[in-house]
Amino acid sequence: ISEITFAPTFDIAINEFFFRANGDVPDYVELFNYGFEDIDLTGWSLTDLEDPVDGSFDGYILGVGEYLLLAGEDPFFNADGDELYAGDNLPNSLLFDISLSTSSDDIQLLDADGNEIDLVSYDSDTWLTGYDYRGHAVELTDPMLDNNDPSSWISSSTEGTYMINEDGEYEDFGTPGEENSGYTPPVYGCTDENAC
């Protein structure tokens, strides 16, 4: 071997996903940048391990500590009953034609060179998915955990800002575009107020 080239690494995780329970909240995938640099997603793609999902990341920069919501053309609603559309008037979102299976599916994130950045392959045998969990998003408890390990995920029961139907009622649960309900941010430094 005369030369080794390493693919770039990016601190972006598939952080949450939702498979549709009814017609009120669209399927979605949420990305989270847990690193220390803003990342230009131009040329990146989302796939099901076979075909790219219709949508474009071009020109989008995912800032440090920011969430990006990828969802289809159906609206989300807030508490005021406003219709919010991905890639339009929904903050930090892009329009992607996402359709996730209730029981099992693959979500793969690729960079502009086709390198796999993240992959989630879920099934209802070992994951909190399937008909018993319909209406509940699946959320990482920590974006730095192995997100192909089902124990890294929880089924959300949180009433997120955009999980409301047009009648102002919560029928679905999750935190799209927000911090995951099961995540506890790390506390750095000394937490003993009596320490020298």
Side-chain angles (χ1 to χ4, degrees), residues 3-163:
E3 183 177 323
I4 297 176
T5 302
F6 293 97
T9 58
F10 299 98
D11 295 325
I12 292 183
I14 297 169
N15 193 52
E16 181 176 343
F17 62 91
F18 180 80
F19 46 89
R20 187 188 299 252
N22 50 52
D24 293 322
V25 174
D27 288 3
Y28 66 78
V29 171
E30 178 194 80
L31 306 180
F32 177 57
N33 180 355
Y34 62 91
F36 297 99
E37 295 181 2
D38 297 347
I39 299 173
D40 184 352
L41 302 182
T42 297
W44 287 41
S45 59
L46 194 74
T47 81
D48 62 2
L49 284 184
E50 295 177 3
D51 301 310
V53 177
D54 287 341
S56 175
F57 288 104
D58 289 356
Y60 195 92
I61 299 196
L62 185 56
V64 172
E66 289 184 353
Y67 300 90
L68 174 58
L69 182 61
L70 310 175
E73 60 185 13
D74 292 331
F76 291 82
F77 294 91
N78 61 17
D80 296 326
D82 301 322
E83 292 188 4
L84 302 168
Y85 293 90
D88 183 16
N89 60 344
L90 185 65
N92 303 319
S93 69
L94 291 173
L95 178 64
F96 272 72
D97 186 18
I98 291 174
S99 178
L100 296 175
S101 167
T102 301
S103 298
S104 63
D105 219 330
D106 301 298
I107 308 166
Q108 182 186 43
L109 181 65
L110 302 175
D111 70 10
D113 294 320
N115 299 307
E116 183 179 283
I117 302 304
D118 206 2
L119 171 67
V120 171
S121 295
Y122 66 90
D123 63 75
S124 57
D125 293 334
T126 53
W127 287 69
L128 302 173
T129 59
Y131 288 99
D132 290 344
Y133 295 96
R134 292 185 75 179
H136 297 263
V138 188
E139 300 180 332
L140 268 178
T141 57
D142 186 324
M144 290 187 275
L145 292 176
D146 175 6
N147 64 2
N148 250 321
D149 180 351
S151 68
S152 300
W153 298 82
I154 63 166
S155 178
S156 178
S157 295
T158 298
E159 297 174 343
T161 303
Y162 307 115
M163 301 300 277

